[in-house]
Amino acid sequence: MKKFNTCIVLAFAILLAACSSLRLAYNNGDTLLYWWLDAYVDFDSEQKSEVKQDIGEFFRWHRKTQLQDYVQFLQKAQRQLRGSPTQADVMADYVDIRDRTEALLLRSAPDIAELALSLKPDQLEGMEKKFAKNNAKFRKENMKGDAQDQNKFRYKKSMEQFELWFGGFSDEQEAIIRKASDARPLDNALWLDERMRRQFKIMTLARKIMKEQPSKQVATQWVEELIRSGFDRFGFSERKAFFDNYTQGTVDLVHTVVRIATPEQKAHAQKRMEGWIKDLNTLAAQVH
């Protein structure tokens, strides 16, 4: 079974984004992901072996079916970087990633439903406590000080990613990037509320499935509805304008960085992507 696929996918994306050595992260991903999942669910002795088996099956499937798709996406990004990508190109890439993620999660809906049917009350309580801990961390990091302080923190987090891709920037470039970063709407209290609303929906559905113990088919339908609502949560709410503006502002920020990047900085990004492409091809060839 692959009932833990969704949590694994999300954790895997976070781990790779934080690690400059893709092959190292991927080859140790089974252990890292088990620890990450256990921090939320606190698996009992009966669940542990099954979870580890599920993680192993996930990596075999993912290595066989997904890595070449990542290669193609990076190659597309390389082609764009060699030219002059437009804001529309950047937005299309964002939509592409979002749609792929939604499709991947929907594919895992039956497995998520099976997991939900197996959870125990103390595990749900543990998940809720973990959500609360994460929210406290969000407040501490993102809501400290006034708007200027929060903008500065957000800018620094963005620069960490841009420097990973392009290397260092000049003072003049940093000033331009800072201006584009600050142009995005800022409302961390709203972001926190959206996180908590999403977590509430997850916990509500998990408790409903645990209490009613519906058929797997019905539970799967409920999970699919939750997944779709998660991707549509900004499109059908009173907050649509804010999130639309934020997405557009982020696209503008990325486009600004690409637009002002020097040939040397673009070459740095090309080299970085080429290294990841090489790693992905090597990993894809190591099918067990």
Side-chain angles (χ1 to χ4, degrees), residues 2 12 43 54-55 81 86 143 175-176 179 194 208 247:
K2 304 182 184 68
F12 176 64
F43 302 118
D54 291 340
I55 291 174
L81 195 58
T86 65
M143 302 177 71
I176 296 172
K179 183 178 180 180
E194 279 295 326
K208 180 179 181 180
T247 297

Side-chain angles (χ1 to χ4, degrees), residues 264-283:
E264 292 76 18
Q265 289 166 335
K266 289 185 177 181
H268 184 282
Q270 291 281 5
K271 183 177 180 180
R272 171 72 67 179
M273 285 187 281
E274 193 60 40
W276 285 338
I277 289 171
K278 181 179 179 181
D279 283 348
L280 288 168
N281 282 325
T282 299
L283 289 165

Side-chain angles (χ1 to χ4, degrees), residues 125-286:
E125 291 176 9
M127 288 173 59
E128 199 163 37
K129 290 178 181 178
K130 181 65 173 175
F131 282 148
K133 183 178 180 180
N134 290 345
N135 293 336
K137 181 180 179 182
F138 180 91
R139 290 188 189 94
K140 181 178 179 180
E141 293 181 348
N142 295 275
M143 302 177 71
K144 183 178 180 180
D146 57 17
Q148 184 177 356
D149 294 323
Q150 293 178 26
N151 263 325
K152 183 177 180 180
F153 176 78
R154 181 174 64 169
Y155 162 73
K156 287 185 174 180
K157 295 296 290 184
S158 297
M159 285 301 292
E160 290 176 4
Q161 296 300 314
F162 295 141
E163 289 172 349
L164 175 66
W165 286 89
F166 293 95
F169 293 89
S170 69
D171 291 344
E172 181 180 1
Q173 287 176 314
E174 288 186 6
I176 296 172
I177 297 171
R178 176 64 188 270
K179 183 178 180 180
S181 177
D182 289 356
R184 293 175 291 174
L186 179 70
D187 191 340
N188 284 319
L190 191 151
W191 279 111
L192 177 62
D193 187 63
E194 279 295 326
R195 286 166 59 100
M196 294 175 68
R197 287 172 61 179
R198 184 168 64 251
Q199 292 161 359
F200 178 77
K201 288 183 178 180
I202 292 171
M203 297 305 305
T204 299
L205 179 58
R207 290 193 173 98
K208 180 179 181 180
I209 291 175
M210 183 182 66
K211 179 181 179 180
E212 299 185 14
Q213 287 295 300
S215 67
K216 182 178 177 180
Q217 181 180 3
V218 171
T220 298
Q221 292 174 350
W222 291 349
V223 170
E224 289 174 344
E225 291 172 1
L226 180 64
I227 292 170
R228 291 191 174 95
S229 71
F231 281 87
D232 292 339
R233 66 186 185 278
F234 304 151
F236 301 97
S237 74
E238 68 281 4
R239 301 172 176 180
K240 182 180 186 302
F242 173 86
F243 290 111
D244 283 349
N245 290 336
Y246 188 88
T247 297
Q248 186 61 57
T250 301
V251 167
D252 294 345
L253 171 61
V254 173
H255 181 256
T256 295
V257 174
V258 174
R259 178 176 55 81
I260 69 173
T262 65
E264 292 76 18
Q265 289 166 335
K266 289 185 177 181
H268 184 282
Q270 291 281 5
K271 183 177 180 180
R272 171 72 67 179
M273 285 187 281
E274 193 60 40
W276 285 338
I277 289 171
K278 181 179 179 181
D279 283 348
L280 288 168
N281 282 325
T282 299
L283 289 165
Q286 298 171 347

Side-chain angles (χ1 to χ4, degrees), residues 1-8 37 40-41 43 47 50-51 54 108-120 123-124 127 206 209-210 213 216 219-220 223:
M1 294 185 297
K2 304 182 184 68
K3 66 186 181 182
F4 294 97
N5 276 7
T6 296
C7 292
I8 292 171
L37 289 168
Y40 278 88
V41 180
F43 302 118
Q47 292 171 323
E50 183 178 2
V51 172
D54 291 340
S108 301
D111 304 317
I112 302 171
E114 188 174 358
L115 169 60
L117 287 163
S118 75
L119 291 176
K120 302 175 177 63
Q123 291 175 318
L124 294 185
M127 288 173 59
I209 291 175
M210 183 182 66
Q213 287 295 300
K216 182 178 177 180
T220 298
V223 170

